[in-house]
Amino acid sequence: MPYIPNHKDPASTTHPCTMYNMGGGALIYKEYHTVHGQDASYVAKEFFKTQSAVKHLGDGVKIPTVNLNHKKLSRIIKEAVLKKFREVEIYHKDGAEWKLKKKGSPGNFQGFEDILFPDGAAQSSTATMGVRITARKEGHLGMGIAIVDTSSARSFKIAEMVEHTKLWNLESAILQHGVRECFIHIDSNAIYEREKALALFDRCCVQYKECKAQQFKTDNIRFFNSTLALS
């Protein structure tokens, strides 16, 4: 069994589920994948329904490991991305390094369309959203949103609006556009709305990631304009 070098479990509980492609060889005729550490325990619990699937392998410190054949890999990716709303990454060996080859998430699963929809029947709408919320003097909230539809529609929408403290517009945008993944920043003057927003994401089954304000700079608009000019 190949050893995954320098494998470390991330501190975040919402990290991508990471898999490694082990290929084949003289004694292994079929390609297979492995998961390790926290991901191995997660896969064993959620998909094998038993921790006996976990093997502790490696030189020195033993690393929890689960082997996946192609059939099991396909089922896990389908359920992890579409039902459990997890991000999934697959790494391939390139010389002495492991490099990211495929990546999919609830809001952008183009990398796994061949596995998720072998018959070509993708979901009608699957979108990723970026949101920034700030407070205004009048007692209302200011909200800027960008929505990228990664399904067959391939659309990009942006808007800026006044938002109610109950976040009705945000919820409406999520439901109307089939949002499955959101990157959000809430300014410090609107921090009291944070719990409401996170509860909304959980209620609508949206995977979210809290981002820094620097990632929402208006300077990025010039790159957007350049992209439109080339399209």
Side-chain angles (χ1 to χ4, degrees):
M1 167 66 194
Y3 170 63
I4 302 299
N6 301 321
H7 176 84
K8 294 182 180 179
D9 283 323
S12 171
T13 57
T14 58
H15 72 280
C17 183
T18 303
M19 303 175 180
Y20 297 86
N21 182 303
M22 292 300 176
L27 300 178
I28 304 173
Y29 298 100
K30 293 185 178 181
E31 182 181 66
Y32 71 103
H33 293 71
T34 62
V35 289
H36 304 269
Q38 291 179 4
D39 291 332
S41 298
Y42 169 78
V43 167
K45 177 183 177 182
E46 297 293 331
F47 303 101
F48 286 84
K49 306 301 181 184
T50 174
Q51 290 297 316
S52 64
V54 179
K55 310 299 180 185
H56 291 78
L57 306 171
D59 299 327
V61 178
K62 303 296 184 182
I63 298 177
T65 301
V66 174
N67 290 352
L68 305 172
N69 59 29
H70 181 74
K71 183 177 180 180
K72 183 67 73 173
L73 174 76
S74 298
R75 187 174 76 85
I76 290 174
I77 290 176
K78 284 182 179 180
E79 292 194 24
V81 174
L82 300 181
K83 295 183 180 181
K84 298 183 182 297
F85 305 107
R86 287 288 303 271
E87 187 176 349
V88 176
E89 295 179 343
I90 293 183
Y91 285 78
H92 287 225
K93 193 73 175 291
D94 186 356
E97 298 182 356
W98 289 97
K99 293 187 177 181
L100 180 63
K101 291 296 183 180
K102 284 190 174 184
K103 183 176 182 179
S105 65
N108 184 6
F109 43 64
Q110 286 178 277
F112 294 128
E113 283 186 341
D114 57 330
I115 294 175
L116 299 176
F117 311 105
D119 57 355
Q123 288 186 352
S124 59
S125 178
T126 302
T128 299
M129 172 187 281
V131 180
R132 182 170 183 173
I133 298 176
T134 186
R136 293 188 173 182
K137 293 181 180 180
E138 307 86 63
H140 295 289
L141 301 172
M143 182 173 70
I145 64 174
I147 300 175
V148 180
D149 187 337
T150 57
S151 67
S152 58
R154 297 289 194 272
S155 64
F156 186 90
K157 300 176 182 179
I158 56 175
E160 186 176 5
M161 66 194 73
V162 175
E163 176 62 300
H164 192 276
T165 55
K166 293 187 181 294
L167 305 181
W168 288 330
N169 289 327
L170 178 59
E171 182 172 10
S172 177
I174 289 172
L175 297 177
Q176 286 183 27
H177 296 281
V179 173
R180 285 292 171 262
E181 186 173 24
C182 183
F183 298 88
I184 185 169
H185 174 76
I186 300 177
D187 288 357
S188 58
N189 61 3
I191 199 63
Y192 293 109
E193 314 308 324
R194 177 178 178 275
E195 294 302 321
K196 297 178 187 177
L198 301 190
L200 171 61
F201 294 146
D202 288 338
R203 189 167 67 250
C204 295
C205 298
V206 175
Q207 183 190 57
Y208 62 86
K209 180 179 181 181
E210 297 184 78
C211 303
K212 296 181 180 179
Q214 293 90 322
Q215 294 176 265
F216 289 83
K217 284 185 176 180
T218 55
D219 293 348
N220 295 329
I221 293 177
R222 62 190 179 92
F223 296 109
F224 173 63
N225 290 334
S226 299
T227 302
L228 289 179
L230 294 172
S231 62

